[in-house]
Amino acid sequence: QLPQGSPRPHSRRLDRLLLHPLVGPLLFLAIVLLMFQAIYALGAPLQELMGGLFDGLRDRLLQPLLQAIGTPELLRSFLVDGVWLGVSTVMSFLPIIFLFYLMLAIVEDSGYLPRAAFLMDGFMHGLGLDGRAFVLQVMGFGCNVPAIMGTRVIRDRGMRLLAMLVIPFALCQARLTVFVYLAAVFFPKPWWAPGLVVFGFYLMSFAAVIITGLLFKRAYPSREAFVLELPPYRKPSLQTMLRRAWREMTTFLVTTCGFIVGGAALVWLLTNLPLQTVAGAGPTFANRIGGLLDPVLAPIGMTPDLSVALVFGFIAKEILLGAMAVIEHSSEAGLGTVLRASITPLQALSFMTFTLLYTPCLSTVAVQIKEAKSRLFALRSVLWSLSLAWIAALLVFQGGRLFGLAGP
């Protein structure tokens, strides 16, 4: 319920507009679209600059240093083409992560987020959820793990489990970096196209929430009431927003550093072992994994290399692009050229669709087990997300082929 009195008349006028049942949702979508356009417009050039910087460090410092100290060729390849390529590719996306959290801080600190929850409460109620689940879904844009932990504010177990089932479909910042990069590589023109592609996947994530809510709301019924007090509008503090964005970016770097290094190293090993395969004597372990998955993933347009990257994306989406760089033996600066030569834009869209909808990471599965106190629930979540991801990617790829969009 809206407060009856307000010491600030302009707040009441804003609420009449932002909480209007028709205009309000349209304005919310416009704000989100503007956010993604700003992230791409500002972040993409910074990401390219970071990628060029890391390539320069590799060529002018790392490789000469390893050669000077007499590092064996195999070890040098492991360090440069494995660990360094994977880590530097992920590190180049730090500006995009910083900008994402900066935009999110503006939405939260201004007092708009609770109003968005109030606005969406009626819609979420039809899915067996309420406005709190919508707020947690927005929190999931940063990371799904704390958003799932935040379901503790929901006392009703049925609604809480349903919220934990839909939150993993939120387009987290790890997946956002993948989408921003691939959208810029395959859909660079006109200038607004990459941001619109990313926004389209944001809408797809909400479509996944709607489908999941409608299918599972009877399995996890709830009747808990939702009460929300709307805070006054505030002018966000630039210092506070910058501090928060910096903290979140550094937290991302610290918490995922082990995953990134370990994942990049493992990808190199899989693409270079057994050693006799380097001379063309047989398939590498990565080739074998790709071939094993081919009957399942080929119908949705996945090549063996993309299939292997998706396997590592199951561990953590943060290492997905790093894994692709190692698999393709390319730095961040050259990865786009390699990908454009090996897959079509339609395959890229299918890959992005599957990446959006299948299990975000092992950390998400772990926290689902902990919060739900049920391994069966976590298994159901994983199987459902994999099934929905495959079906959606199949519709995108085969539907695109049907309309002649497969490309050369």
Side-chain angles (χ1 to χ4, degrees):
Q1 185 175 0
L2 286 171
Q4 297 301 315
S6 174
R8 299 179 179 180
H10 70 276
S11 295
R12 301 290 293 176
R13 289 194 294 269
L14 279 174
D15 282 340
R16 289 192 194 100
L17 182 64
L18 295 176
L19 299 181
H20 189 276
L22 178 61
V23 178
L26 295 177
L27 286 176
F28 173 75
L29 292 176
I31 290 171
V32 175
L33 175 59
L34 181 62
M35 182 177 75
F36 285 130
Q37 291 286 8
I39 289 173
Y40 169 75
L42 299 175
L46 293 175
Q47 175 249 322
E48 291 179 5
L49 183 63
M50 288 280 287
L53 176 63
F54 282 116
D55 286 351
L57 290 174
R58 179 198 62 195
D59 296 337
R60 295 180 177 85
L61 182 62
L62 180 61
Q63 287 183 331
L65 177 62
L66 292 175
Q67 290 177 352
I69 62 177
T71 307
E73 182 179 353
L74 188 63
L75 178 59
R76 188 165 66 245
S77 175
F78 171 75
L79 294 175
V80 176
D81 300 328
V83 176
W84 179 265
L85 277 184
V87 172
S88 62
T89 298
V90 176
M91 292 278 287
S92 67
F93 288 94
L94 289 180
I96 291 177
I97 295 172
F98 179 85
L99 287 169
F100 169 77
Y101 280 110
L102 186 64
M103 300 293 176
L104 193 59
I106 294 175
V107 174
E108 293 182 356
D109 293 353
S110 65
Y112 178 66
L113 185 58
R115 285 165 170 82
F118 178 86
L119 183 68
M120 299 297 293
D121 179 63
F123 176 76
M124 299 297 286
H125 183 72
L127 306 179
L129 298 163
D130 60 25
R132 288 171 298 185
F134 178 78
V135 173
L136 293 170
Q137 198 74 18
V138 174
M139 287 177 57
F141 293 165
C143 180
N144 295 166
V145 171
I148 290 176
M149 295 175 66
T151 59
R152 296 171 185 174
V153 301
I154 302 175
R155 293 188 299 272
D156 185 273
R157 178 167 174 80
M159 185 184 295
R160 190 178 179 210
L161 289 175
L162 185 56
M164 281 191 277
L165 197 63
V166 303
I167 285 172
F169 294 117
L171 200 164
C172 65
Q173 48 84 21
R175 285 178 285 199
L176 177 63
T177 58
V178 178
F179 294 164
V180 168
Y181 183 80
L182 293 180
V185 168
F186 288 96
F187 309 98
K189 295 179 181 180
W191 64 267
W192 43 262
L196 189 62
V197 169
V198 176
F199 178 67
F201 282 104
Y202 167 83
L203 295 181
M204 185 183 291
S205 73
F206 267 101
V209 170
I210 294 171
I211 294 171
T212 303
L214 292 175
L215 287 177
F216 289 93
K217 67 177 183 178
R218 292 186 179 179
Y220 303 107
S222 171
R223 300 185 181 215
E224 185 177 354
F226 174 55
V227 180
L228 175 67
E229 180 179 354
L230 298 181
Y233 289 103
R234 296 182 298 270
K235 181 180 179 180
S237 167
L238 180 60
Q239 183 179 6
T240 301
M241 292 188 303
L242 291 174
R243 187 184 302 118
R244 177 183 173 184
W246 179 263
R247 182 179 67 250
E248 296 290 353
M249 184 186 70
T250 53
T251 299
F252 161 82
L253 187 59
V254 171
T255 56
T256 62
C257 184
F259 273 123
I260 294 169
V261 174
L266 185 55
V267 172
W268 184 92
L269 291 173
L270 289 176
T271 54
N272 287 272
L273 294 179
L275 290 177
Q276 63 267 24
T277 62
V278 177
T284 64
F285 290 137
N287 295 143
R288 295 172 186 175
I289 294 174
L292 186 65
L293 296 174
D294 193 61
V296 177
L297 298 181
I300 62 174
M302 297 301 102
T303 65
D305 287 348
L306 292 180
S307 299
V308 174
L310 287 174
V311 171
F312 284 92
F314 180 82
I315 300 173
K317 296 296 182 291
E318 290 85 351
I319 65 174
L320 206 155
L321 281 175
M324 293 174 70
V326 176
I327 292 170
E328 302 293 348
H329 306 288
S330 173
S331 66
E332 184 278 330
L335 181 59
T337 303
V338 174
L339 289 176
R340 278 193 298 267
S342 59
I343 63 174
T344 66
L346 183 58
Q347 286 176 294
L349 283 176
S350 178
F351 178 81
M352 294 160 76
T353 300
F354 196 90
T355 299
L356 171 69
L357 299 177
Y358 86 118
T359 308
C361 60
L362 284 180
S363 299
T364 299
V365 177
V367 77
Q368 281 181 321
I369 294 174
K370 179 181 177 182
E371 295 298 323
K373 297 180 175 58
S374 171
R375 295 180 183 272
L376 181 61
F377 172 81
L379 178 62
R380 176 180 295 181
S381 177
V382 170
L383 293 177
W384 166 240
S385 65
L386 285 171
S387 301
L388 184 60
W390 190 87
I391 293 171
L394 182 71
L395 292 175
V396 168
F397 183 68
Q398 297 297 343
R401 293 183 65 187
L402 184 64
F403 287 99
L405 301 179

